[in-house]
Amino acid sequence: MCGITARVGVGDSSESLVATLENLEYRGYDSAGIAVKNGTGLKIQKREGKVAQLRDAVSENRIEGELGIGHTRWSTHGAPSDANAHPHVDCTGRVAIVHNGIIENHDALRRDLEADGHEFRSDTDTEVVPHLVEDALDAGADPEAAFRAAIAQLEGSYALAMIHEDVDAVFATRTGSPLVLGIGADANYLASDVPAFLEYTNDVVYLEDGDVAVLTADDFRVTDLDGVDVTRGVETVDWAAEDAGKGEYDHFMLKEIHEQPKSLRQTIQGRLDDDGGVRLEEFPQGTFDAVNRVHFVACGTSYHAGLYAESLFGDWNVDAQTFLASEYATHPPAIRDGTLVVGITQSGETADTLGALEVAEDAGARTLALTNVVGSSAARLCDDALFIRAGPEIGVAATKTFSSQVAALVLLGERIARDVTGSPTPDAEARLDALMDLPEHVDTVLANSQAAEVADRYAHEDSHFFIGRGSAFAVALEAALKFKEITYEHAEGFAAGELKHGPLALVTETTPVFAVCNGNNEAKLESNVREVQTRDGPVVGICPRTSDALADTADETLTVPATHPDLVAILANVQLQLVAYHAANDLDRPIDKPRNLAKSVTVE
Ligand code: F6R
């Protein structure tokens, strides 16, 4: 949560700091601020509200400087307010700091600092840092040494950037929160995530936990906490600046829904063999010979991708189980020899998922990160990484990355199954052929979807249920999550067979039920649909065009192209993403930035 940025280079930094914050707003949007340094000291502008409010403030009351830091906030300590917005300064105003993460020992530090006479202006945990720096400066340290002295006293997770009024450099460090440098021609940048500065540079340096970076206009230096130089190479990312913009769409979410054919192609590209197998460069044949079970650990949408894969892996005779990462981290199951723990995480920075992976590592399990972000904490923490290659996802609601996660898990599952069982999965050739055609099928869904009309009809109802079996159950859960998070209306997903064990009591004529059919067990799903209709609940079937059973029973249908049953639910999910999107639009919700949520959840 929270996004931090910095720029140091030729010309004024304030405009590009605000622009980089706009690109990072998906990480937090309850307040924002920048601090710049010029010949007359540090100048700060900060505002409660969205980055747009900060932009207005900066244009009304211009501040300029060749060097600066910025922050967009998702509150953890202290309510959203101008005072709690970052940057925070020391008592003298010579030092300004932005922070992402949580400083766990801030209470004790603040008590000591206040006892020594420091005056605090906010309720944040962050504000202890500039005051700690101030103490060290007063004791004679130079700004870099003072920054190090402050960090040495912190417990928790943090990415920090600091400027001092006398130094033409940005000081930064990370422990448990992401931070990446952007190396440009006229300026150097620093941010919580690469999309922040993609319009200025594609050359990046991923920092590791414990790194301290000093960034100047034409250079950077990275050391460890003791000041010993460490080498961090410059990498070029292949994301384009347009990938991080909204283009012709009203919302990032709609853009990203429509990007799915492209992102799926990227996920699959070069990973299917001509002779009907998978070719994962990172994982040649035999890689998983020693594996006898798989644990998926993930949160939210990524958890649903895990459930989807679990239902397939079971059919392929691979023992797989999906766990909520937050539970796994605190109440882990038995982790026996031969367990492969796969952390599914779009951002690669979700604290709960990282916590679960750490538990797995401590228990001696082999770990694998399935992530969208090269250089992310999960990718670096795990023994192996498989990248889903979906491109940057900015909308807070995950869409294209779900499809790419499932597609990547189908590929990974084939590799694992062949190593574990000694033979291809049942029906491998047909499934992998269908995977090749999936982007085209998603195009067909997007071109013909009636989801907007369905959404108009049901957006205002009391409650929205989503049901399915197997992979379609995973999609029912995912569709309900998407619906509730962006419409703020009640939505729940159920295993179709479970409705009659309790939730059916809630079904009335104002409870639309979206029944997802993946082509398997159609007769059973049809019975569940009739149970709903008997209680006057309207039913929308989401099913392959060829599925007569549901088409004849449901009150209306959203169809998808017929394909392999293992992949149908990915297409159904696209329809339901559109239903959620259009319902939220009808209700005039802030679709890309739903209240109380942030894209990257780096706190537990
Ligand atoms: C929902 C959503 C969240 C994330 C969850 C995990 O639309 O986006 O539920 O899926 O916070 O995030 P990652 O995948 O980055 O670990």
Side-chain angles (χ1 to χ4, degrees):
M1 331 300 224
C2 303
I4 69 177
T5 67
R7 178 195 184 267
V8 45
V10 177
D12 177 39
S13 282
S14 54
E15 167 54 35
S16 57
L17 282 171
V18 175
T20 51
L21 287 179
E22 283 167 342
N23 295 337
L24 276 191
E25 205 174 9
Y26 64 89
R27 299 179 66 87
Y29 31 86
D30 61 36
S31 50
I34 60 171
V36 292
K37 167 189 176 297
N38 59 28
T40 58
L42 301 186
K43 303 281 177 244
I44 296 183
Q45 282 280 8
K46 49 189 194 170
R47 281 290 177 283
E48 181 183 345
K50 303 230 155 55
V51 178
Q53 267 126 299
L54 174 70
R55 182 173 275 293
D56 290 347
V58 171
S59 49
E60 270 164 33
N61 199 349
R62 245 194 117 53
I63 55 172
E64 287 184 358
E66 293 194 341
L67 177 162
I69 52 179
H71 188 271
T72 180
R73 178 165 187 252
W74 186 87
S75 325
T76 53
H77 291 76
S81 67
D82 288 358
N84 287 337
H86 299 214
H88 292 288
V89 294
D90 67 326
C91 297
T92 66
R94 286 179 301 162
V95 171
I97 295 262
V98 288
H99 165 223
N100 170 33
I102 291 187
I103 294 163
E104 285 165 3
N105 58 337
H106 72 102
D107 270 341
L109 291 170
R110 184 174 180 137
R111 258 195 316 276
D112 291 350
L113 286 160
E114 283 178 334
D116 289 346
H118 287 268
E119 281 185 26
F120 280 70
R121 302 180 181 94
S122 78
D123 303 324
T124 63
D125 53 338
T126 305
E127 201 187 336
V128 296
V129 186
H131 292 286
L132 290 172
V133 173
E134 181 187 356
D135 263 359
L137 289 168
D138 288 348
D142 63 37
E144 181 177 340
F147 184 58
R148 290 178 188 282
I151 309 164
Q153 298 175 66
L154 305 180
E155 290 166 17
S157 70
Y158 47 85
L160 292 162
M162 176 187 100
I163 55 176
H164 182 284
E165 69 173 16
D166 294 336
V167 189
D168 289 327
V170 175
F171 302 95
T173 189
R174 63 156 286 173
T175 288
S177 295
L179 204 54
V180 56
L181 309 183
I183 309 304
D186 297 333
N188 288 328
Y189 300 83
L190 171 158
S192 301
D193 203 354
V194 174
F197 51 63
L198 268 181
E199 59 197 282
Y200 307 111
T201 182
N202 282 54
D203 292 334
V204 308
V205 177
Y206 294 104
L207 297 183
E208 305 271 348
D209 277 355
D211 284 356
V212 177
V214 182
L215 197 63
T216 56
D218 51 12
D219 202 5
F220 71 93
R221 180 166 54 89
V222 185
T223 55
D224 66 14
L225 289 172
D226 299 323
V228 178
D229 281 340
V230 291
T231 307
R232 300 282 176 248
V234 180
E235 297 176 39
T236 302
V237 292
D238 60 6
W239 290 355
E242 309 82 79
D243 292 343
K246 263 202 296 245
E248 73 203 63
Y249 294 93
D250 290 339
H251 296 98
F252 279 109
M253 181 180 179
L254 191 60
K255 174 180 178 243
E256 286 156 5
I257 290 173
H258 280 266
E259 276 174 353
Q260 286 175 104
K262 178 180 163 204
S263 48
L264 277 166
R265 276 189 195 101
Q266 290 170 181
T267 304
I268 300 163
Q269 202 170 39
R271 288 173 165 175
L272 288 169
D273 256 349
D274 294 340
D275 58 2
V278 294
R279 188 176 55 225
L280 297 176
E281 258 172 42
E282 311 81 339
F283 307 114
Q285 188 179 348
T287 306
F288 300 110
D289 278 351
V291 169
N292 51 36
R293 77 180 60 73
V294 179
H295 287 175
F296 296 118
V297 292
C299 309
T301 293
S302 298
Y303 172 71
H304 300 147
L307 289 176
Y308 195 126
E310 175 187 319
S311 77
L312 306 185
F313 278 41
D315 292 344
W316 306 339
N317 213 15
V318 177
D319 182 359
Q321 236 184 314
T322 312
F323 298 85
L324 288 166
S326 53
E327 288 296 304
Y328 199 92
T330 50
H331 297 89
I335 303 174
R336 303 209 166 81
D337 281 356
T339 305
L340 172 70
V341 180
V342 179
I344 307 171
T345 166
Q346 184 283 129
S347 60
E349 302 295 346
T350 300
D352 289 324
T353 307
L354 296 176
L357 289 167
E358 274 159 15
V359 164
E361 294 244 305
D362 289 348
R366 178 165 172 194
T367 54
L368 188 157
L370 189 107
T371 181
N372 197 27
V373 182
V374 177
S376 60
S377 299
R380 283 178 292 112
L381 170 72
C382 289
D383 299 318
D384 296 299
L386 180 62
F387 297 104
I388 63 170
R389 311 196 296 212
E393 187 175 68
I394 309 293
V396 164
T399 51
K400 63 176 180 176
T401 52
F402 175 83
S403 309
S404 285
Q405 284 170 338
V406 175
L409 285 163
V410 168
L411 296 169
L412 181 67
E414 189 63 40
R415 168 77 284 133
I416 293 176
R418 287 182 191 214
D419 287 350
V420 171
T421 67
S423 46
T425 60
D427 220 15
E429 205 179 322
R431 184 182 320 99
L432 295 176
D433 277 354
L435 193 60
M436 286 285 275
D437 295 337
L438 195 63
E440 212 173 298
H441 290 330
V442 176
D443 260 330
T444 307
V445 171
L446 293 170
N448 302 302
S449 177
Q450 308 291 311
E453 289 84 332
V454 172
D456 288 350
R457 240 182 317 284
Y458 297 116
H460 297 86
E461 297 297 12
D462 292 346
S463 209
H464 305 78
F465 285 2
F466 297 81
I467 60 170
R469 288 168 179 267
S471 58
F473 169 43
V475 162
L477 294 177
E478 169 57 11
L481 175 65
K482 214 89 311 175
F483 199 93
K484 75 180 84 165
E485 74 174 319
I486 61 167
T487 66
Y488 311 161
E489 297 297 322
H490 180 247
E492 270 195 79
F494 301 101
E498 273 296 296
L499 262 195
K500 59 186 177 295
H501 297 292
L504 202 53
L506 295 170
V507 170
T508 68
E509 70 280 3
T510 62
T511 321
V513 177
F514 295 83
V516 186
C517 170
N518 58 13
N520 292 328
N521 300 300
E522 284 188 56
K524 288 191 198 303
L525 186 64
E526 194 187 340
S527 305
N528 303 137
V529 164
R530 289 198 193 284
E531 289 155 14
V532 170
Q533 290 171 322
T534 309
R535 277 83 188 172
D536 297 327
V539 175
V540 181
I542 301 91
C543 56
R545 222 168 272 136
T546 47
S547 166
D548 294 338
L550 202 59
D552 293 346
T553 324
D555 299 292
E556 56 186 310
T557 49
L558 289 170
T559 58
V560 301
T563 183
H564 193 282
D566 289 352
L567 306 181
V568 167
I570 299 179
L571 299 174
N573 190 53
V574 175
Q575 289 281 26
L576 291 168
Q577 290 170 345
L578 288 168
V579 170
Y581 172 81
H582 288 294
N585 213 18
D586 287 350
L587 295 163
D588 208 19
R589 304 295 189 225
I591 293 178
D592 285 330
K593 294 167 197 146
R595 69 181 176 210
N596 305 339
L597 302 179
K599 180 99 189 132
S600 185
V601 187
T602 54
V603 292
E604 292 180 333

